[in-house]
Structures are given as structure tokens and as C-alpha cells.
Amino acid sequence: MRITHSAARGPRALLRAMVPLLLFTAVAAACAGTPPTGGGQLAVAELAVPTSAGFGGGTIYYPSQAAGPFGAVSLSPGFTEDASAIQYWGPYLASQGFVVVIINTTNGLIVPEQRSAEQRQALDYVIQQGATSGSPIAGKVDPQRKAVGGHSMGGGASLITAEADPTIDAVVPLAPWNLDTTFTDVRSPTLILACQSDVIAPVATNASPFYDAIPATTEKLYVSVAGGDHFCVNSPSAGGEEVGQTAVAFLRRFVNGDTSVVGQLCGAGAPVEGSVFDDVRSTCPF
Ligand code: 9J3
């Protein structure tokens, strides 16, 4: 879309518009980041999701020994990425007591609106599997506790999902990207994990205006990783362990209704601007 628009303004504009895409292609291979440290205590198993499920398939990560039920989290990768780009979030969150599906999209080139539709199908799939006797996750999914997130266009998709489905309990966009910044209809608590030096989805035209557009009556938290590139939050600890810890606390607070973690989000234990984060904003206390 951006490229078509720019083409009308001439070749130089087209070239400028393509720079993020070229940068993206150059670094996409390394985008999963490093395996995280500091996960939870629960043993985790994986369940492969076939493409016949309706979206592009993917993987469900779930607590294998603990009974649950747990909240469901549906995560979408970004433009040209597949599930592997954000794979470390799966076992990390599952070890903390969530059933997480990380999807492949039917096509790596689809736009955020389409990623939102596929992410919602995946959320429904997880809930349906949780209600299916014989499924490895039978009884492990609470259909009333739902969160969405995703990287880049997948992060934009998660905000679109929240606008369409107010029963979503929490939204966690990772370095989100979308052409339209006016997310004024988001009513679900939102944690935006941003990357200060992202040149593919610059915070000034993406994460920051998204945060500002979400009404102040919606609980929200914005943390930006100092010096982070577009892939700085593809893994829960790539940008520092505080990234994963903040996401877990936010999901516990708003998916599980666990107020014992608010001290990690607001007040003395809240994320602070310093060596890890360059920008922290919130509607605290919540
Ligand atoms: O999902 C993404 O990484 C979006 C990056 C982007 O700017 O795509 C433009 C074609």
C-alpha cells in the first residue's frame, strides 16, 4: 500500500519507501532473537496445529502437567515472517500459565486486517480444542480469558482484533506496525512493547501514536527498549529480561485478574526509564 502510494510521487519516493522493506529482508532471518532466560516454573508441551485449522497452522504451547484452566493467548508474526520469528514467546508464556498459539499466516504478505482475522480464528481454535475431549489441551483453556498480540503487522493486527472484539482481556503488540494509527476504539487493556531505534516500524509513526490514540479510560502501558531495533521484542528477553517480566505481569493482571502483580507494573516496581527502557508511559495505577 505504501509502495503504491509512493510510486505516484516518483521513483525516488518509491526507493525511499522500499528502504524499510530491504532492511527488513536483510535482518529477517535473525528475527527470533535469542532463547529467553527467566521463564516460569511450569513444564510446557507443544501441540502442532495443522493448516487445515483454517489459518496457516502453527504451534500451541501449553502447561503439560498443571491442570488449568488457563487463559488463551493468540500471537501473529509480522510481514514475511512465520511463527518461528516470535517462537520463544510460546514456551515462555506457557511456563507462566497460559495456553499460547503462535500462528503461521496463510500468506506471509497479508496485511494487518487479514492477520487479525487469522489470529481470531486461531483463538477460537484453541478454545475449541480446550473443549474437545481427547485433545491434549482438553480442559486447559478458560474460554473467558483471552489475549492477543503479535509482531509488527501482527501487532497492528492485535489492536484491530481488540477493536473488533471487546471481550479480549489484554493486548500485547510487539513493535507494532499499521498504516492507520487511530486505535480509538480499543477498550482492552494494552501493553505496547516498542523498540526505540526501530526503522521499519518507527515508534514516532507507529507505537507512540497507537498508544496515544487508545483512550485514557482504557488501561494501557507503553515501554520502549532503549536502542532496540525492529526485532528487539521478538523474544521475551532479547531486549532485556524486563520485557518478558512486564508482559507476564500485564497478562496476569488483566487476563487472570491477579492484582498481586500490580507492583511490577505501577509504583515502586514499575518499569522505569533508564538503561533498559528509554520511554515508559502508563495509565497507572491499575
Ligand atoms: O510486519 C512488519 O514487519 C511490517 C514492516 C513494514 O514496514 O512493512 C512494509 C511493507
Side-chain angles (χ1 to χ4, degrees), residues 2-3 20-21 24 77-81 115 151-154 177 200-201 230-231:
R2 184 181 269 187
I3 289 171
L21 188 58
F24 181 91
F79 188 65
T80 74
E81 293 177 334
R115 288 171 196 275
H151 178 236
S152 197
M153 284 193 191
W177 183 95
I200 296 171
H230 186 50
F231 307 98

